[in-house]
Amino acid sequence: MNNKLDRESWLTECAQFILDDLLAPHCEIPATQFRISIGFPSGRPSKVLAQCWKHEASADGVNEIFVSPTVDDSVEILAALAHELIHFTDNCESGHQNHFAKLARLIGLAGKLTAT
């Protein structure tokens, strides 16, 4: 991984690793694309670390993942990214149940599923 990347590029590279190495063995990865941006997710900025939006919400049909600029702990950011990428795999259809819950536990996300 390139150490000279900006935050969004670094997150995108990490996301591809999470999809390919952690999630793909357990589920089908969508053919649709995703885009990661640093920005405040909707809701309570102090509580929401990241958020995935359905591809229908974007003009170009791309799932949008927003990661809060207030989070600076790399492990916390990657856990939040993994959480949002699970949402990406089913276009946010399962909420925090069924498909989401199964994958979250399979890849090691712990705790309350709305805040893994």
Side-chain angles (χ1 to χ4, degrees):
M1 196 172 293
N2 185 344
N3 291 333
K4 301 288 185 188
L5 297 175
D6 62 54
R7 194 174 196 206
E8 289 173 348
S9 298
W10 179 78
L11 285 167
T12 301
E13 280 195 14
C14 290
Q16 201 57 59
F17 170 80
I18 292 167
L19 287 171
D20 294 344
D21 292 6
L22 296 178
L23 295 175
H26 306 292
C27 73
E28 187 173 330
I29 304 302
T32 58
Q33 296 180 323
F34 63 90
R35 180 173 26 253
I36 299 174
S37 299
I38 304 302
F40 291 102
S42 68
R44 295 174 24 199
S46 63
K47 296 274 186 185
V48 181
L49 303 181
Q51 195 169 57
C52 181
W53 287 62
K54 291 183 172 196
H55 63 82
E56 294 89 353
S58 179
D60 60 358
V62 172
N63 287 83
E64 302 280 355
I65 297 174
F66 296 96
V67 177
S68 174
T70 64
V71 183
D72 61 0
D73 180 282
S74 296
V75 173
E76 193 174 19
I77 291 169
L78 292 176
L81 180 60
H83 176 118
E84 299 312 326
L85 288 167
I86 295 171
H87 287 307
F88 163 71
T89 65
D90 76 345
N91 196 33
C92 309
E93 293 297 324
S94 63
H96 293 104
Q97 300 175 353
N98 304 318
H99 170 84
F100 177 89
K102 177 184 168 192
L103 283 177
R105 297 304 185 215
L106 277 171
I107 67 167
L109 295 180
K112 189 176 175 184
L113 290 175
T114 56
T116 53

